[in-house]
Amino acid sequence: MSAILSADDLNDFISPGVACIKPVETLPLQKPADTVNSYEVTTEDKLPAEPPPPAHITLTDCLACSGCVTSAEAVLISLQSHSEVLHALDSAPCASQQRQRGSSCTNDDPEVSHGLPREAEKVFVASVSPQVRASLAATYGTTEQEAEWMVEQLLSGPYGLRTGGKYGNDFSWIIDTNAMRELGLVLGAEEVLASSDSLAATTSLQAEGAATIQPKKPILTSACPGWICYAEKTHPHVLPHLSRLKSPQALTGTLVKTILSQTLNVDPSQIWHLAIMPCFDKKLEASREELTDSYWRPSSSPKPLTPVRDVDCVITARELLMLAETRSISFPGLPRQPLARSSRTPFPDPKLDIFLFPHLQSPPSRRKPQLPAAGSSGGYLYHILRTQQCLHPGSVIRSTRGRNADVIEYTLSLHDEVLFRAARYYGFRNIQNLVRKLKPARQSRMPGGKMVGARKPASKSEMDYAYVEVMACPGGCTNGGGQIKVEDVGALQGVRSGQGQKEWLARVDEAYYSMEDDGSAGEEAARDAEGEAPVNSVDENDMVNGISISYVKGILAHWAALTGLDEKKLVYTSYRKVESDVGKEKGRETERVIELAGKIGGGW
């Protein structure tokens, strides 16, 4: 990443306008006069006024947020890195309960480990996105399956992280976020079916982003944190349209903290969850106050002084390679084969173990591979279209390209009658056009004045969207800012890369859409690809896009029953308007931001 902004020169917003610039307080370099002591400190008011030089900024400086990232968030991002992972692994030994279940950590005394009480021990869990595995597969010329095995070998294998460190710790479970993505797809389709303009119109301004409020049409995806940050700070009028569902990263974090704290009888603070994601913005998502135990912890349970994050740390594909390098581990040299099943620690709940790790069961099975039509960002829109198609037998899905490849409109038609309209908007240039169309008009203050503030009315088709899949990165999540770039490939492989960025992204996408069968799992994987659920036999009418609706909803009900928590607290979140402090009384800015950055709950 680029250099993090200094904590000595802070404003809540880097810039109050849409233009993305360096902090406005940055001063131009001055050539000292011959008579000036080079060791003398010169205050700002003594510097001669000169036009500042042109600002230079990268996407990682602004986090894809057009001048709206706070300095507190910059500090929060700097606190999440591969160094933080190693620090956490060396901070405490593995929990004794895990050793009793056959974890790699060993100790004879179940109550004391390395001279520390049980309360000081931790459980280490990791979750990995499919886009990260695709980036690694394209980099080292492997299949997506082999890339998954290499990650597992690094995080939990005998030649991985456990070979070093103070306690020789590793990760007890490595979860594929595709599992919780399936839950998000099913609930997202239900959210669209339940959407109602009349219900949303009664929403008060204070509750426009609340988790309990049904979003307005068109419903906009909320899985991209860069897009959410942009909406909260610059376009609050779109908040009533945002889907209330948590992202797969957040859902996985909530499941890990709620289930393990309950089944292992440990405090959520003793569970350390690492997420490996394709973009840096996911670090900001992990820092949101709404994604902590304070939002789901039972009221009868004593609340800690500091909220516990559902996701403790986020690193990207490139940072994963830095993690291996720091421990002097050759990532491409790791075994490209699965870990021995004899050393596997089953997830504490058998039903969730089957759901989260179908490929490790007997017999094994794999989830349905992603189709190119679903896109590289989770397939939210595609699943909703398929759900609508199942509700209208004989209907046809048609797509129309917009002004560029990242804008596509979809229609569901039956006998030439359009039943459902949706769209895909990727990249901030296209997102800006979308939010302008959603901006409401306001009445002029002049007597007899017309409505102002709204752009030219959008076409009927644009106004009739029921759902829009919005992602900040052009091309989708496989092109995330934390992915391995084409210029990095040559250095990693030790050869000169002659590929262009477009060709490189095509390779990553190809790896993302591929899913190899693994020998004994061939028959099960083939049936899965034809639409059969990973486990249990189900009615064909229950299958949508290869996912059993009743099975996934049964998992959610089981999750809620096991923890005694309301389903809505587990899967929904909220959003709120964030106002700039630029131009307001400064006061103790440095101390205020350091305090925010130190809060586990985040600085939003």
Side-chain angles (χ1 to χ4, degrees), residues 322-578:
M322 296 171 66
L323 176 66
E325 183 181 1
T326 304
R327 280 282 174 91
S328 300
I329 299 171
S330 171
F331 187 83
L334 290 169
R336 301 181 183 184
Q337 58 188 23
L339 297 172
R341 295 195 180 187
S342 58
S343 62
R344 175 178 179 263
T345 304
F347 204 69
D349 181 75
K351 192 169 185 177
L352 290 174
D353 187 58
I354 295 174
F355 175 68
L356 296 174
F357 309 101
H359 60 293
L360 298 178
Q361 307 304 315
S362 182
S365 64
R366 300 206 68 196
R367 287 186 163 81
K368 184 178 183 292
Q370 282 279 18
L371 300 175
S376 61
S377 303
Y380 293 91
L381 173 59
Y382 181 75
H383 185 82
I384 289 171
L385 288 170
R386 290 297 303 272
T387 301
Q388 293 289 331
Q389 191 175 37
C390 290
L391 296 175
H392 303 89
S395 57
V396 179
I397 299 174
R398 294 185 174 90
S399 62
T400 304
R401 174 172 165 164
R403 63 176 58 191
N404 54 60
D406 284 328
V407 178
I408 304 177
E409 180 181 305
Y410 296 86
T411 58
L412 182 74
S413 304
L414 181 63
H415 306 310
D416 296 328
E417 179 187 359
V418 176
L419 304 175
F420 187 84
R421 293 183 186 274
R424 174 188 297 170
Y425 278 74
Y426 287 178
F428 271 103
R429 181 177 300 179
N430 297 319
I431 290 175
Q432 288 174 350
N433 293 330
L434 173 66
V435 297
R436 289 190 190 111
K437 296 170 184 176
L438 295 175
K439 188 173 184 179
R442 57 182 175 84
Q443 183 65 44
S444 173
R445 295 182 180 180
M446 299 296 293
K450 298 180 180 180
M451 301 293 287
V452 298
R455 295 176 64 86
K456 181 180 178 180
S459 65
K460 184 177 185 300
S461 63
E462 291 172 334
M463 297 299 291
D464 286 346
Y465 289 153
Y467 188 85
V468 183
E469 184 175 279
V470 185
M471 298 291 165
C473 294
C477 294
T478 50
N479 189 31
Q483 297 282 73
I484 300 169
K485 304 302 180 183
V486 62
E487 55 267 23
D488 301 328
V489 176
L492 292 171
Q493 296 180 347
V495 296
R496 184 180 181 84
S497 176
Q499 298 180 95
Q501 183 66 15
K502 186 176 181 179
E503 293 77 11
W504 171 247
L505 290 178
R507 283 190 58 184
V508 178
D509 286 344
E510 181 182 0
Y512 176 76
Y513 296 126
S514 69
M515 184 173 288
E516 298 287 339
D517 297 341
D518 59 342
S520 61
E523 183 179 353
E524 289 287 335
R527 292 204 302 268
D528 183 27
E530 293 173 1
E532 184 174 330
V535 292
N536 302 331
S537 59
V538 296
D539 186 352
E540 291 184 359
N541 296 327
D542 182 54
M543 301 297 300
V544 176
N545 191 26
I547 300 174
S548 168
I549 299 175
S550 61
Y551 174 67
V552 172
K553 292 180 69 174
I555 289 294
L556 174 58
H558 177 72
W559 176 13
L562 191 63
T563 57
L565 300 173
D566 183 14
E567 291 183 5
K568 293 182 179 180
K569 286 189 175 183
L570 297 175
V571 299
Y572 293 114
T573 186
S574 59
Y575 312 98
R576 64 179 183 272
K577 178 181 178 180
V578 179

Side-chain angles (χ1 to χ4, degrees), residues 68-89:
C68 65
V69 160
T70 68
S71 299
E73 290 164 354
V75 177
L76 287 170
I77 287 177
S78 70
L79 296 178
Q80 299 186 52
S81 66
H82 68 286
S83 299
E84 175 62 21
V85 177
L86 297 177
H87 174 75
L89 289 172

Side-chain angles (χ1 to χ4, degrees), residues 102-174:
S103 173
S104 57
C105 301
T106 58
N107 191 283
D108 295 330
D109 189 347
E111 298 300 329
V112 179
S113 176
H114 297 273
L116 299 174
R118 178 177 175 181
E119 291 73 16
E121 300 174 337
K122 288 190 176 181
V123 180
F124 297 98
V125 186
S127 57
V128 186
S129 77
Q131 291 86 359
V132 167
R133 297 195 299 269
S135 184
L136 295 170
T139 300
Y140 295 107
T142 69
T143 64
E144 181 269 346
Q145 175 67 91
E146 289 178 331
E148 180 180 4
W149 289 337
M150 294 165 70
V151 174
E152 291 177 350
Q153 291 283 355
L154 173 65
L155 300 181
S156 297
Y159 307 104
L161 297 176
R162 74 166 72 164
T163 58
K166 183 177 180 180
Y167 299 108
N169 288 337
D170 60 6
F171 289 84
S172 299
W173 295 286
I174 303 172

